[in-house]
Amino acid sequence: MTTNTTLTEKTGARTDEAATLIGGARDRIDSLDDRIIGLIQERMAVSAVIQEARISSGGRRVNLAREMEVLGHYRDALGKPGTALAMTMLELCRGRI
C-alpha cells in the first residue's frame, strides 16, 4: 500500500489531491486545537485568581451576573452552540482554587 493510498483511506477522500488538502487542513486544525486548549488553561488560571480574590474579600466564588455576560457574548458570536461551549468553559473554570 502506498502513502497516498493510506492518506486517501485515512481522510476518506477519493483523490490524492483532496487527501493531501484534507491532511494539511487537519494538521492546521490540530495546531489550532492545541492553541485553544492552552488558552482555556490560561483562562482557568486567571479565573482561579479572580475567585480567590472574591472569596478572600468575603464574596461568593461564582458571580452569576458575570457568567450571564459571558454566555451572552459567546451566543452572540457563535449562535446557540456558543452558549453550550461557554457553559462547558465556565464549568472548567469554576472551583479550581
Side-chain angles (χ1 to χ4, degrees), residues 21-91:
L21 183 115
I22 291 167
R26 284 183 178 171
D27 288 343
R28 181 144 188 250
I29 284 174
D30 290 345
S31 176
L32 290 166
D33 285 343
D34 288 342
R35 288 172 48 201
I36 291 166
I37 290 167
L39 288 169
I40 291 172
Q41 289 170 331
E42 184 179 345
R43 190 189 194 288
M44 290 168 66
V46 172
S47 182
V49 169
I50 292 168
Q51 289 176 52
E52 178 63 36
R54 191 181 299 119
I55 291 168
S56 295
S57 70
R60 302 179 76 175
R61 179 175 57 87
V62 176
N63 181 331
L64 296 178
R66 173 62 180 152
E67 288 196 357
M68 293 305 294
E69 288 176 17
V70 171
L71 291 170
H73 180 69
Y74 275 69
R75 182 193 61 243
D76 292 347
L78 303 172
K80 187 177 177 182
T83 303
L85 178 63
M87 286 295 295
T88 299
M89 186 208 38
L90 289 169
E91 182 180 342

